[in-house]
Amino acid sequence: MPDRTTLVTALQGAGWHPAAWRVAGPAAQRLSSLRHWRDVVVEQDRLGIDAVTIEDSFTAGPVDAADDLDTTTVVGRLDALLVANAVAPATRAVGLVPTVSVTHTEPFHVATGLQTLDHVSLGRAGWRIQVSPTPRESALFGRRPGGDDVATLFDEAREAAEVVSRLWDSWDDDAIIRDVTTGRFIDRDRIHNAEYAGRHLSVHGASIVPRSPQGRPPVFALAHRADAAAFAVDAADVVLVTPGYQGREALDLLDEVRHLEQVAGSDVRRPVLADLAVLIGSSTAAAADELAALDAAAGTPYAVGSGSDTSVLATTVPELVSLIGDLRGLGFAGVRLRPLRIPIDSTAIARQLVPALVTAGLRADVASRPTADLRTRLGIAPAVSRYARPSVTGPVPSGVSA
């Protein structure tokens, strides 16, 4: 676990509340523009947020009771991976973690797209892995029947994550040799085929992208139900748990992750982040009134079991600092915060919460924050390729090439 509280902001359209676009002002007119995303992400970067996740889905928006698009909330989205690549050059230190589904996407395309982001961002890429279980999503592709059971999708996703990891490892760090004397640009022996044959996937060959700065960008997974938690422990480097899921508290969910790690025989304790939806007001009463106004506009409360899979907090900065301190004391590495309103609450997270956490001793000042790659910033060990050659120490035996 990192020695400082990890702070991640989850970005989605005008915010996580279905009625957020009604109070977003000019930003609501720019949701499909690069300017909107660049402005929001640059602010998070400049003020010290560790990473931003960017939501994505194969559907343009939520559906209503008639299985049609719900026209009362934001409909339409930009591709999260492409947005991350577009904003990367404008940022310096923040991790960029797009959501990319593996249900209808070839692992090869996932691997190369994220490797490209890691190169473009100089080692700040991450990946929020996701499955896409709905018939509506399947119908967009037409290659498989809709309604696959979720257990099957998670099994397939485990294989996809393994294939992506093998493709990320397929080039050695020093595969490009640019040897003008011999005329060789690469050393072919330093590029390895990702050999994989499973129940759902069969892959042979190497990535087309040279090994990226992190080797393997850190994988995030949302553990908002029991099967998702088991998948996260199998496939992810960072686990996001949602207090409020089936009435369970944060400590119960953290204990579940640690138990699943033990059952899996893993000796790695993954960073676990509490995933919370927040509306930040000037006072508790003001925040409650602002949430109530959004709920009234939407026609239904936004809460656990009613549009949200995690706790929805109408809160203040001091209250949020206290909560984060408590979570840190329980063993959480930090939090991922879902701002109900963007840019109102995302701005409050960056401009008000970050300095308050510094004052409380839960984070270092922006000036002293690490500018290393995202794995280092999250407290995750460097990725060692499965094809890495063992280092030779001591004298080399006669007849053996080092």
Side-chain angles (χ1 to χ4, degrees), residues 18-382:
W21 64 274
R22 304 187 189 205
V23 297
Q29 302 173 26
R30 300 190 282 113
L31 294 179
S32 297
S33 73
L34 176 58
R35 178 184 172 187
H36 165 76
W37 290 98
R38 187 177 57 226
D39 288 351
V40 172
V41 176
V42 164
E43 181 174 55
Q44 302 295 298
D45 175 55
R46 181 172 57 85
L47 296 171
I49 301 298
D50 290 307
V52 295
T53 60
I54 304 173
E55 297 303 300
D56 209 346
S57 169
F58 290 131
T59 58
V63 297
D64 58 21
D67 196 34
D68 196 4
L69 284 174
D70 180 358
T71 60
T72 67
T73 189
V74 172
V75 175
R77 65 176 80 244
L78 299 183
D79 182 278
L81 179 54
L82 295 179
V83 167
N85 273 287
V87 302
T91 58
R92 184 184 71 88
V94 70
L96 302 168
V97 187
T99 297
V100 183
S101 173
V102 293
T103 302
H104 303 289
T105 310
E106 295 295 338
F108 177 85
H109 293 141
V110 175
T112 56
L114 289 163
Q115 281 180 298
T116 299
L117 175 60
D118 205 36
H119 279 290
V120 171
S121 66
L122 304 179
R124 293 183 285 116
W127 172 27
R128 194 173 87 76
I129 188 171
Q130 180 173 275
V131 299
S132 302
T134 68
R136 177 183 285 269
E137 291 168 302
S138 293
L140 287 167
F141 296 87
R143 294 200 300 262
R144 60 195 293 171
D148 284 329
D149 66 276
V150 175
T152 298
L153 295 183
F154 277 130
D155 284 342
E156 180 185 56
R158 285 180 174 88
E159 293 192 10
E162 174 65 17
V163 170
V164 167
S165 176
R166 290 176 182 232
L167 289 168
W168 283 344
D169 282 349
S170 62
W171 288 57
D172 289 351
D173 290 329
D174 55 356
I176 298 177
I177 57 175
R178 301 184 186 91
D179 190 334
V180 176
T181 303
T182 63
R184 292 187 306 156
F185 185 79
I186 63 166
D187 180 345
R188 184 61 187 84
D189 292 337
R190 302 179 194 181
I191 299 179
H192 315 275
N193 288 329
E195 303 285 359
Y196 184 84
R199 178 184 174 191
H200 303 280
L201 298 168
S202 179
V203 174
H204 168 80
S207 175
I208 60 173
V209 182
R211 189 163 175 83
S212 68
Q214 295 182 100
R216 297 181 207 154
V219 180
F220 292 61
L222 181 62
H224 61 315
R225 43 190 281 177
D227 48 5
F231 167 73
V233 167
D234 287 342
D237 301 295
V238 180
V239 179
L240 309 171
V241 301
T242 51
Y245 161 62
Q246 292 186 347
R248 298 177 64 188
E249 299 296 331
L251 183 57
D252 291 337
L253 297 170
L254 178 61
D255 287 344
E256 180 180 7
V257 172
R258 298 301 180 221
H259 172 70
L260 290 169
E261 288 174 336
Q262 184 177 22
V263 169
S266 173
D267 58 358
V268 176
R269 289 173 66 88
R270 292 154 184 78
V272 180
L273 307 182
D275 198 5
L276 302 164
V278 297
L279 182 152
I280 300 174
S282 58
S283 67
T284 305
D289 288 345
E290 290 165 23
L291 177 57
L294 287 174
D295 288 344
T300 184
Y302 185 69
V304 174
S306 178
S308 178
D309 58 3
T310 193
S311 298
V312 178
L313 308 176
T315 187
T316 65
V317 167
E319 290 170 345
L320 200 49
V321 169
S322 178
L323 173 60
I324 292 172
D326 290 344
L327 291 169
R328 183 72 176 170
L330 293 176
F332 282 85
V335 293
R336 182 178 81 143
L337 300 179
R338 308 180 189 180
L340 293 196
R341 305 165 297 179
I342 295 175
I344 300 171
D345 295 314
S346 59
T347 295
I349 290 169
R351 295 185 184 181
Q352 300 175 37
L353 179 61
V354 171
L357 289 171
V358 172
T359 300
L362 292 170
R363 282 179 66 84
D365 186 77
V366 171
S368 61
R369 65 178 171 163
T371 55
D373 63 34
L374 182 57
R375 292 183 72 94
T376 301
R377 192 161 180 172
L378 295 172
I380 302 171

Side-chain angles (χ1 to χ4, degrees), residues 375-397:
R375 292 183 72 94
T376 301
R377 192 161 180 172
L378 295 172
I380 302 171
V384 178
S385 171
R386 72 199 66 213
Y387 307 113
R389 292 158 292 176
S391 59
V392 177
T393 59
V396 178

